[in-house]
């Protein structure tokens, strides 16, 4: 079940709804009463539907640039925003911060470089402030993390403020600015690719289902007070 709300009141193609549109979905688990359960989701932002698969295969792989956000290591489930929760409720992944590791040069990976410098910018490790004890007790070497499946080493190093620019990874001995290190980033500040990665790793399966149809939409689970009445839903 879903409810459409188009503030422009235009008869637009559902595949390209404007950014002022919203969609409300009720996802029902199909169980008989009294065990039936529904969850409600509100979709906002870019509501363009996923395109149909091409009849001819089109190569879309792009190799990440050095320093570009590459993957999420872990999440800190401490609330950072109040957009979807209140202090008395559980947080969702959209309220967390994430440890994001940058891409390193991998000569075994070939292909054109990702040219989306606007939406997927790379960190400049020549100018980023070095990790300090105030940021935590350790820093993660991106170079070691990239080879973790071969070495079983996850690149953790103890912060030593007295070394500064001379700091090196204790395993690969690469200077810190060349090795690069992971960054803690709140969900709103993640790049679009990392937001999708966070969704895949931590979102409810219902949200993942909706994201296959609306991959660019901002998807929020609706709290009890915001849920629509049954009569307001259209089929």
């Amino acid at each position: 079940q879903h409810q459409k709300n188009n503030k422009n009141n235009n008869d637009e193609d559902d595949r390209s709804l404007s950014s002022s549109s919203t969609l409300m979905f009720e996802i029902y688990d199909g169980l008989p009463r009294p065990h039936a359960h529904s969850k409600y989701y509100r979709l906002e932002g870019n509501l363009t539907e996923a395109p149909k698969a091409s009849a001819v295969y089109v190569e879309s792989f792009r190799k990440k640039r050095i320093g570009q956000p590459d993957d999420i290591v872990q999440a800190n489930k401490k609330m950072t925003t109040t957009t979807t929760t209140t202090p008395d409720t559980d947080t969702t992944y959209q309220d967390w911060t994430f440890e994001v590791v940058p891409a390193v040069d991998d000569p075994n990976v070939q292909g054109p470089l990702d040219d989306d410098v606007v939406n997927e910018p790379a960190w400049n490790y020549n100018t980023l402030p070095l990790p300090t004890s105030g940021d935590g007790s350790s820093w993660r070497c991106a170079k070691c993390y990239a080879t973790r499946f071969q070495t079983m080493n996850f690149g953790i190093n103890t912060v030593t403020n007295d070394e500064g620019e001379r700091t090196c990874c204790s395993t690969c001995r690469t200077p810190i600015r060349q090795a690069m290190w992971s960054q803690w980033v709140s969900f709103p500040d993640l790049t679009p690719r990392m937001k999708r990665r966070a969704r895949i790793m931590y979102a409810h399966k219902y949200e993942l289902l909706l994201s296959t149809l609306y991959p660019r939409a901002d998807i929020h689970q609706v709290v009890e007070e915001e849920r629509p009445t049954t009569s307001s839903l259209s089929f």
Side-chain angles (χ1 to χ4, degrees):
Q1 299 180 357
H2 69 276
Q3 177 188 37
K4 298 178 182 179
N5 176 23
N6 188 341
K7 296 179 181 178
N8 289 336
N9 296 320
N10 294 327
D11 295 331
E12 298 179 12
D13 183 354
D14 285 348
R15 285 195 169 275
S16 57
L17 292 174
S18 70
S19 59
S20 63
S21 300
T22 62
L23 291 178
M24 186 79 74
F25 280 84
E26 176 190 9
I27 300 182
Y28 166 56
D29 61 12
L31 295 175
R33 295 184 182 277
H35 306 291
H37 183 70
S38 292
K39 285 185 179 293
Y40 294 84
Y41 290 89
R42 183 180 67 255
L43 279 65
E44 300 173 327
N46 188 339
L47 300 181
T48 303
E49 293 184 12
K52 294 182 179 180
S54 173
V56 179
Y57 174 74
V58 178
E59 177 62 60
S60 60
F61 173 76
R62 293 292 183 271
K63 181 178 179 179
K64 295 185 182 71
R65 307 187 307 281
I66 296 176
Q68 193 174 21
D70 184 37
D71 199 7
I72 291 175
V73 180
Q74 60 181 328
N76 181 350
K77 299 182 180 181
K78 180 180 179 181
M79 182 185 294
T80 59
T81 68
T82 56
T83 55
T84 58
T85 56
T86 65
D88 297 328
T89 62
D90 294 333
T91 62
T92 72
Y93 75 97
Q94 296 177 1
D95 300 305
W96 304 342
T97 57
F98 301 86
E99 184 183 6
V100 182
V101 68
V104 300
D105 184 36
D106 185 352
N108 295 319
V109 177
Q110 300 296 322
L113 289 177
D114 183 1
D115 57 0
D116 189 358
V117 296
V118 176
N119 295 312
E120 301 291 337
W123 286 305
N124 184 353
Y125 278 88
N126 291 323
T127 58
L128 279 179
L130 293 172
T132 66
S133 57
D135 301 325
S137 59
S138 62
W139 62 277
R140 189 184 303 276
C141 172
K143 184 177 179 180
C144 287
Y145 188 79
T147 59
R148 63 195 179 282
F149 297 120
Q150 290 79 32
T151 64
M152 296 306 296
N153 172 49
F154 289 80
I156 297 297
N157 290 269
T158 302
V159 173
T160 52
N161 290 338
D162 57 329
E163 293 187 19
E165 296 285 348
R166 294 179 288 109
T167 299
C168 293
C169 173
S170 60
T171 301
C172 68
R173 306 307 301 172
T174 304
I176 185 171
R177 290 201 182 276
Q178 296 177 27
M180 300 182 291
W181 62 94
S182 59
Q183 306 289 324
W184 283 94
V185 185
S186 63
F187 182 83
D189 294 328
L190 291 174
T191 64
R193 183 184 291 123
M194 290 299 101
K195 285 183 178 180
R196 291 193 294 271
R197 180 64 175 153
R199 175 184 290 166
I200 291 172
M201 294 175 68
Y202 299 106
H204 192 281
K205 60 183 179 181
Y206 291 165
E207 182 175 338
L208 292 180
L209 176 65
L210 290 173
S211 70
T212 61
L213 182 59
Y214 298 98
R216 300 176 181 85
D218 295 324
I219 304 176
H220 305 279
Q221 185 172 342
V222 177
V223 296
E224 187 73 31
E225 308 82 63
E226 297 178 352
R227 292 180 180 178
T229 60
T230 303
S231 59
S232 69
L233 294 171
S234 60
F235 297 83

